[in-house]
Amino acid sequence: MNPNLRTDEWKIIEEGFDPQFNRASESIFSIGNGHMGQRANFEEKYSGNSMQGSYIAGIYYPDKTRVGWWKNGYPKYFAKVLNSPNWIGINISVGNEVLDLETCKVESFRRILDMKSGTLEREFVCQLKSGIKISVQSKRFVSMADYETGAIEYSITPLNKDVNITTEPYIDGDVVNEDSNYNEIFWKSVSGNINSEKAVLVSITRKTNFHVAVAMKNLILINDHVISPEHNITRNDKYISRIYSTNVKKGNKLTICKFASILSSENHPVDRIAELAVDKVNKTLTAGFESLLKDHKQKWSDKWDECDIIIDGDPSAQQSIRFNIFHLYQTYTGSDHRLNIGPKGFTGEKYGGSTYWDTEAFVLSFYLNTADSGVARNLLLYRYNHLQKAIENAEKLGFKNGAALYPMVTMNGEECHNEWEITFEEIHRNGAIAFAIYRYINHTTDVNYLVDFGLEVLISISRFWCQRVNFSTVKNSYVILGVTGPNEYENNVNNNWYTNTMASWTLQYTLESLVKVEAISKDKFRSIIEKVSFSNDEAEKWREIVDNMYYPVDDELGVFLQQEGYLDKEQLTTDMLDPKERPINQNWSWDRILRSCFIKQADVLQGIYNFEERYDPETIRRNYDFYEPRTVHESSLSPSIYSIIAATIGNIDEAYKLYLRTARLDLDDYNKEVHEGLHITSMAGTWLSIVEGFGGMRIKKEKVILKPMLPGKWKSYSFYFRFHNNIVNVTADSDGATVTNLSQNIVPVEVYGVCEDIDPGKKKKFGRKD
């Protein structure tokens, strides 16, 4: 944990510079706009420990895997979102000395991520080896109003003498990925063009042939007045720059404004991409820094108006929930169905920036509730558009007849994860994708999605489950063998309760969906049946599996067993672990972890969370009380689910403790890995912890159910959610809850067991019933 971080309800503030925390801060202070992102690297040269990271959504490279690629069914590569050409760089020399915080004396330092306005600011005072003392202020943003624009305002003031200052804004295409499997360079240069009129660098990815053009324009000012100093240029295959030399008097402020446009061939023709990048950056220069910033801030203001959570009485909790919401919307805005959400977003290279099951299991609900339904619909369309690839993935493993296995990790629909216990065994991801379709339709009533896209996906996933089960004569039931559940500290187990539950539910939901689509449109139904060659025999087989699925339970304990044989393990609890051995995934051998009873994340409880309405409160409590003490929460996805269930069973203190763990996972660096990037997808779980946990919000087809409760420190809290595309606000305090309908339609609610139709524009106060 970085002791220099300060608590502020709207800002992340780092007061003081400690190089040992720099990489972690580069992650925490990252900025993005859904189409590109930037780690919080310094603009000026820094020779200390740093990971330069500029990322563009959808631009990836198929990095050949180190192991397994020669085996049947194994992926040949791991797709990685690439560290892209560096657009933020500005080399600074004061006198004859390069400005570098690693080599100079830093007298004061302050870095601020303003989440309300979406800006990154930095100010410091340092003394160089020459004795010259300077003050530096910088501000930058990547525009939410124009997804291809970034801007920097960088000012230097000499404090103790007149001095010549050289500024060199540049574009650098000679970048690498630290996670490259074979130290490959993923980019090659197409062209670098710089003259008095323009500066643009075009690069292309090897193998995938994505083109990226970065253009820049600069303004130089003294005391906020534009000047036109003489300058030189530098150009080679991968690097272009302008070099300005300016004499600056003591106390005067030299400012360079750097504007950049970053275009990719995903959105522009290759033969015009350089020209278009130059045109765009010329327009941004004309608009000016303040105008661009104003438009950017307005977009953030509009977004906060419909997704903010306000907590009174707990500044740490307030800061952390806004931090989570902020990074979710920096990572994904939902405007492009070709894009999805990587577990680290644009903040680091771990997990390659590819799509995981996290999107459907956690993130979809956040966007369903905080944005127009089209955003969540695009997440589902991403999977529909990759259906044929999912069928091909299943075929590689021997499945037939249009069965689909969606990838655990992907960029283009093709599986690119090559750890066998993940790629071949963590098949519960198929269930998460089916459940996401159900959740979306239940939340929005958009049955047209089921008709036009969803049913095809459900049929293909159900065909997979039908072929993946086998009938056990010993158990007289259908079983699923050789799987890994959500708890990745167990591999190759039989009858994982969660996996079996998701499989049978998917089959049942698909059967129900067949009936629903036929009732909506017989013509469309017939067209789908013919397209996928579906037969009634398949439906009968699915019903048989649903009726005869095996679920491991322990009647004496009254709990669902995570998998067969779980109780054969030595039953220890986490309080018996030596704190020096935590986290165990960084201190134990894999063999020791697999033989232990310790659980990485919610597994049985993930299923109870999904299907809460099936179980009475005592069943939920027994399973929580059994599994939580055995869970080490070493997955970022874990604490939020436990927090929601703890709140559901009335354990508010435990729910709050787990909320803080998920909400401040990155800010407090619980897992000691923030230097690798943030946990973007688990941040959606933080939102769920408040809204579904403390707020008790559940969406039924006919109405919204709310049971708000108040954690001890909180005086009140409020949140927004959407129901059938209607926006609703809930404010909870010690007296109860107030529900405000901000839309044009009646919203039916049930609060503390009281049913009420809230008219448009009206609010209703509900007293708490303890």
Side-chain angles (χ1 to χ4, degrees), residues 572-584 588 592 596 598 629-632 634:
L572 305 175
T573 52
T574 56
D575 58 351
M576 301 176 183
L577 287 169
D578 183 346
K580 295 179 181 177
E581 296 185 350
R582 304 286 297 273
I584 62 173
W588 284 15
R592 186 180 178 188
S596 79
F598 294 117
R630 291 161 172 78
T631 304
V632 291
E634 289 175 11

Side-chain angles (χ1 to χ4, degrees), residues 364 368 380 431-445 449-450 454 458 505 509 512-513 516 610-611 613 699-701:
L364 181 86
L368 266 175
L380 297 183
I433 291 167
F435 195 71
I437 295 172
Y438 159 78
R439 183 175 280 154
Y440 170 79
I441 294 170
N442 180 53
H443 206 110
T444 66
T445 68
Y449 182 83
L450 185 66
L458 291 170
W505 175 87
Y509 181 57
E512 294 170 3
S513 297
K516 180 178 291 187
N610 283 350
F611 305 113
E613 69 279 0
I699 297 292
K700 305 297 183 183
K701 287 183 180 179

Side-chain angles (χ1 to χ4, degrees), residues 319-328 662-663 682-683 686:
Q319 179 189 46
S320 55
I321 186 58
R322 283 181 173 146
F323 178 74
N324 284 255
I325 293 170
F326 177 73
H327 276 290
L328 281 161
T662 183
S682 77
M683 290 176 171
T686 301

Side-chain angles (χ1 to χ4, degrees), residues 411-541:
M411 283 296 299
N412 62 2
E414 187 174 28
E415 177 65 74
C416 65
H417 195 291
N418 74 326
E419 295 178 22
W420 63 269
E421 69 274 16
I422 305 296
T423 306
F424 306 138
E425 292 194 346
E426 208 163 330
I427 55 176
H428 63 81
R429 61 200 189 244
N430 253 13
I433 291 167
F435 195 71
I437 295 172
Y438 159 78
R439 183 175 280 154
Y440 170 79
I441 294 170
N442 180 53
H443 206 110
T444 66
T445 68
D446 180 11
V447 292
N448 288 332
Y449 182 83
L450 185 66
V451 174
D452 295 334
F453 309 105
L455 183 59
E456 284 184 57
V457 173
L458 291 170
I459 290 171
S460 293
I461 290 175
S462 291
R463 283 172 166 171
F464 171 84
W465 288 126
C466 183
Q467 294 175 44
R468 188 59 173 79
V469 305
N470 65 274
F471 188 78
S472 166
T473 56
V474 173
K475 291 182 171 62
N476 196 34
S477 301
Y478 284 94
V479 297
I480 304 180
L481 309 178
V483 302
T484 297
N487 173 28
E488 293 173 335
Y489 289 174
E490 298 271 12
N491 300 150
N492 200 32
V493 302
N494 294 333
N495 292 311
N496 171 258
W497 181 86
Y498 174 79
T499 303
N500 288 21
T501 298
M502 292 302 295
S504 62
W505 175 87
T506 301
L507 292 168
Q508 180 62 44
Y509 181 57
T510 306
L511 290 168
E512 294 170 3
S513 297
L514 285 162
V515 174
K516 180 178 291 187
V517 171
E518 185 175 22
I520 294 170
S521 172
K522 292 187 182 299
D523 289 342
K524 184 65 176 179
F525 177 76
R526 281 193 296 269
S527 175
I528 295 171
I529 296 305
E530 291 173 6
K531 179 180 179 180
V532 302
S533 301
F534 184 77
S535 70
N536 288 330
D537 290 343
E538 286 186 86
E540 288 303 314
K541 181 67 173 180

Side-chain angles (χ1 to χ4, degrees), residues 683-725:
M683 290 176 171
T686 301
W687 186 92
L688 293 170
S689 296
I690 293 181
V691 176
E692 294 186 358
F694 304 137
M697 189 268 281
R698 303 291 187 271
I699 297 292
K700 305 297 183 183
K701 287 183 180 179
E702 300 83 9
K703 61 186 173 183
V704 182
I705 297 176
L706 293 156
K707 297 178 182 178
M709 60 191 76
L710 204 65
K713 278 188 172 184
W714 298 8
K715 297 177 182 178
S716 67
Y717 64 96
S718 72
F719 59 85
Y720 298 88
F721 68 88
R722 292 184 182 237
F723 173 69
H724 299 175
N725 261 339

